[in-house]
Amino acid sequence: MDLENTLLTWLPIIFFGVVIVLLLWTIRFMPRAKPAPVVKGSQVEVSWSDVAGLDEAKKELQEVVEFLRDRKRFERLGARVPRGILLHGPPGTGKTLLAKAVASASGANFYSQSASSFVEMFAGLGAARIRKLFEEARKNAPAIIFIDELDAVGTARSGGSIHREHDQTLNQLLVELDGFNTRDEVVVMAASNRLQDLDAALLRPGRFDRQVLVSPPDVAGRESILAVHTRDKPLAADVDLSHIAKQTSGLTGADLANLCNEAAIFAGRNGAQYVRQTDFDAASERIVAGLQTRRVVSEKEKRILAYHEAGHAVMSHLVGELFPAQKATIVSRGEALGYTLNVPAEDRYLHTREEFVDLMMVFLAGRAAEQVVFGRITNGAANDLERVTHIARSMVFEYGMSEIAPSRTMRADNYALSEETKRLRDSEQARLTDQAYDEAQRLLLKHRTPLDRVADALLEKETLDRAELEALLSEVKAESRSSETVGTVRILPMRD
Ligand code: ADP
Ligand code: MG
Ligand code: ZN
């Protein structure tokens, strides 16, 4: 045999051998659907008592727990048992927490995955992950599948080719939700921040047909959340949780948990044995207005700031005690140069048109004071203006509180609106804010003396609390405007 011949027969064989080995090697390392992570519910360390407030949501979910524990009891009665439950509400309100509490109370196998883990580069892999997840949960029933942040795959399908992977994943989820038979002891829960963006098919009967609203806490809810998060902290006798709750309208459970932790850190830094009220005050200021910075403010700037904040404080006094100013300060914190904290007298859900107007005036009073006193305005009112714009927009667009169309909404996404109506709508919104601004200036001019008094006090002490403000304004009579009020407005502290 000569060498040439040998090479000619062996070379192709070696070549194909190498190719096959390489192929096998790539397949081995191709991404595949991994088994879904599972936890025994009894090992989840969240109990019902860790979830504060949210009584309605808890009650609804308790049914799910009972079903998972004793399915027969319901079936005997012919009850159709909940299968797809969607928790929806703003971020930080306790949706994930609730799902964990359900898992823990039911003891069922808990398959918890964020929907973003189904978002994949490789076509079909997200769908495969979902198939696998449901397959395993069925095998290990009773089980709970919890898909957190559902928005990542649940937003409406596009139908276009660019989003094919997303659409495939969502389709697979729909298929799995439909694929249950009545014997399966699997409950599917999901959480979403944006119910309105979800694909409508997800919400059809037999899928996520039970929707549980998880709303931000009201004042009582905030107090009980604070109680939960201070359980393990030694509190000084002067800590008043109900007072803190009143001052934190608009904060979510997550914000409040953060607040309690910050307070403990403040106390620890001072080497204290207990967490005191002052620690909570410091923490809440920090959380509300961002980190305290050492920004240098000139004397001239300070004077403008003082009048700006005094404007807010005086106006909230003038429009009645609906939006009492809790505190006014010109000490700069974070982005906000100064701020006046307004806390609604109580949490209610109905608001009159007059109250909205009053509220706009309180927000606009900072800028109005600058105009009235210095004859010029600054950029310091940006945040105030944003809020006012939002209020006026809601009044006209959503609440039918304009004169042009008192009986219908005029949302931006309403295509049925003519160009003419849109123009009217926008000018109506502008009219509302302009009128409120004019009225705010008029009232501050009329009450220039108390305005000066509060501004001077602010310049001297930099911070005025509620009692000090009340003392300064005690003999100023409110311009009783919204006397016949039905409700109040839930607002966040002002920042400018
Ligand atoms: P979401 O899932 O709605 O965004 P989370 O459940 O993740 O909110 O909440 C984050 C954290 O905030 C929780 O771990 C908990 O510490 C705290 N928290 C939120 N809501 C509540 C509540 N209702 N009661 C007690 N703590 C809460
Ligand atoms: Mg969550
Ligand atoms: Zn302001």
Side-chain angles (χ1 to χ4, degrees), residues 197-273:
D197 294 341
L198 291 182
D199 198 293
L202 276 170
L203 309 179
R204 293 224 182 95
R207 294 170 181 166
F208 289 112
D209 51 5
R210 233 198 237 200
Q211 287 140 33
V212 177
L213 174 67
V214 185
S215 38
D218 61 11
V219 68
R222 291 198 299 275
E223 187 172 342
S224 53
I225 292 172
L226 287 165
V228 164
H229 289 279
T230 49
R231 267 191 314 217
D232 57 347
K233 297 179 175 69
L235 297 186
D238 69 338
V239 173
D240 182 353
L241 294 184
S242 89
H243 177 73
I244 303 170
K246 281 193 199 110
Q247 287 191 311
T248 46
S249 182
L251 297 200
T252 63
D255 297 329
L256 293 168
N258 192 6
L259 171 72
C260 294
N261 189 48
E262 287 273 332
I265 290 173
F266 272 117
R269 230 184 260 153
N270 301 332
Q273 299 282 334

Side-chain angles (χ1 to χ4, degrees), residues 51-71:
V51 188
L54 302 176
D55 294 333
E56 290 287 306
K58 272 182 172 174
K59 213 164 71 204
E60 285 205 50
L61 293 172
Q62 228 117 30
E63 270 176 46
V64 177
V65 171
E66 300 198 355
F67 160 67
L68 284 165
R69 279 192 170 158
D70 183 7
R71 177 170 57 116

